[in-house]
Amino acid sequence: MTAASANNPVDFADLLAFYASAGVDDALEDAPVNRFAEAAPKPVERLPTTTPHASSAPEPPATPPRLDGRAVPDAPAPRPPTSAVPDEAQAALARQLATAAASLDELRQHMAAFEGCNLKATAKNLVFADGNPQAAVMLVGEAPGRDEDIEGLPFVGRSGRLLDRMLAAIGLDRGSVYIANVIPWRPPGNRTPTPHETEICRPFIERQIELVNPKVLVNLGGPSAKTLLNSSEGILRLRGNWRVHTTASGIAIPAMPTLHPAYLLRTPAHKKLAWRDFLEVKAKLRTLL
Ligand code: URA
């Protein structure tokens, strides 16, 4: 990138290209915000040194100004010893809310009101589900992408169009399946969700599966398969073999891990593997319905 100069449009093109390559492909606000113009750092207030306590106690170190130019909080809250503590609290809250949901509508409301996952702050929409909640087949992907975030529906972009064709090949469509994701909010720039984000969102998708209670679950891609089948194996090993997803109430649902449509778009030679997996699903449905 060339040196920034406000009047040189070439610099802006370079800057935009840099943002795009870093995964920054979407505006969060309608209008730009100049973060550098936000509140200047406040001067650090020192305790009076004449009080008996202050004179006997060691003086607190002066807080250095923040490098990003944003205000220094007056009294920093005590930090928990590890970052896992608040995440575990959020995961516990998610579990509580998910368990309390008696229907898919209630679950959607609880998820919409949940503030415990940072991905919600940058997502445009909650991507809850698409399709038929009475369907025998439920498909679960990883997390919404840009198109899904805009529309609030899973698998509506390029990989969704491929998924529709894969479903059509075994006689199914969005009216005869139910589709959701492990993570219901788009990770910014389509980055991979962190393990903490996955653990926070896990109770919601588990409850969603339990409430839909499909005859067959299809895990689209490694993250869905690993999360919902409690496996650490790679998707190329997992795919094509029936596994079991066990719900919190103990219902065992046959699950077929398969390749993610986005992967198949990049690796079309593997479409034949997904085709075999979908034929397995079709055959299983014949035995169950
Ligand atoms: N990829 C996913 O895993 N889910 C979507 O909804 C879209 C793309």
Side-chain angles (χ1 to χ4, degrees):
M1 187 170 33
T2 55
S5 134
N7 298 321
N8 184 349
V10 177
D11 290 350
F12 288 119
D14 282 353
L15 187 60
L16 282 177
F18 169 74
Y19 283 153
S21 65
V24 182
D25 58 357
D26 207 3
L28 294 182
E29 309 280 349
D30 290 336
V33 178
N34 182 354
R35 302 281 175 201
F36 294 107
E38 286 184 351
K42 285 188 180 175
V44 177
E45 271 182 34
R46 289 182 178 273
L47 293 171
T49 52
T50 48
T51 59
H53 274 311
S55 55
S56 56
E59 208 167 282
T63 314
R66 287 175 57 143
L67 294 178
D68 59 7
R70 303 182 76 178
V72 177
D74 289 341
R79 291 174 71 88
T82 73
S83 62
V85 173
D87 283 335
E88 179 42 45
Q90 297 310 334
L93 180 59
R95 274 196 294 279
Q96 205 180 315
L97 290 170
T99 311
S103 66
L104 288 168
D105 274 350
E106 267 183 46
L107 182 65
R108 181 201 282 263
Q109 282 167 27
H110 290 184
M111 288 164 70
F114 182 65
E115 298 295 339
C117 181
N118 54 297
L119 296 175
K120 187 182 178 189
T122 49
K124 288 185 167 53
N125 279 302
L126 167 73
V127 177
F128 183 72
D130 194 17
N132 180 353
Q134 266 88 48
V137 182
M138 177 167 179
L139 301 106
V140 181
E142 181 184 16
R146 185 172 186 275
D147 296 327
E148 289 76 21
D149 184 36
I150 291 168
E151 291 199 32
L153 289 171
F155 285 99
V156 291
R158 266 188 85 215
S159 53
R161 287 193 288 280
L162 174 56
L163 179 61
D164 287 343
R165 293 201 297 277
M166 292 160 72
L167 290 170
I170 55 165
L172 298 174
D173 61 17
R174 296 217 175 204
S176 50
V177 300
Y178 185 82
I179 310 178
N181 281 304
V182 170
I183 307 268
W185 295 284
R186 182 201 183 198
N190 291 349
R191 69 163 168 74
T192 303
T194 66
H196 281 159
E197 288 160 353
T198 301
E199 283 313 302
I200 288 171
C201 295
R202 174 202 281 272
F204 293 130
I205 185 63
E206 287 185 343
R207 182 68 179 143
Q208 206 167 351
I209 295 169
E210 192 164 42
L211 288 167
V212 173
N213 193 16
K215 298 255 183 283
V216 169
L217 183 68
V218 177
N219 299 99
L220 298 169
S224 166
K226 287 178 187 177
T227 307
L228 296 172
L229 306 177
N230 292 319
S231 173
S232 55
E233 279 184 275
I235 188 64
L236 286 170
R237 274 181 176 278
L238 279 173
R239 63 142 290 278
N241 299 302
W242 285 105
R243 306 271 168 152
V244 172
H245 171 81
T246 307
T247 67
S249 57
I251 301 167
I253 300 173
M256 172 55 69
T258 191
L259 302 170
H260 194 286
Y263 169 81
L264 295 174
L265 287 171
R266 294 191 302 273
T267 321
H270 280 176
K271 281 184 185 172
K272 57 177 181 283
L273 301 178
W275 168 236
R276 278 184 220 152
D277 303 344
F278 270 56
L279 287 180
E280 279 287 335
V281 171
K282 186 180 180 182
K284 178 71 107 188
L285 284 173
R286 270 208 218 103
T287 67
L288 294 174
L289 295 178

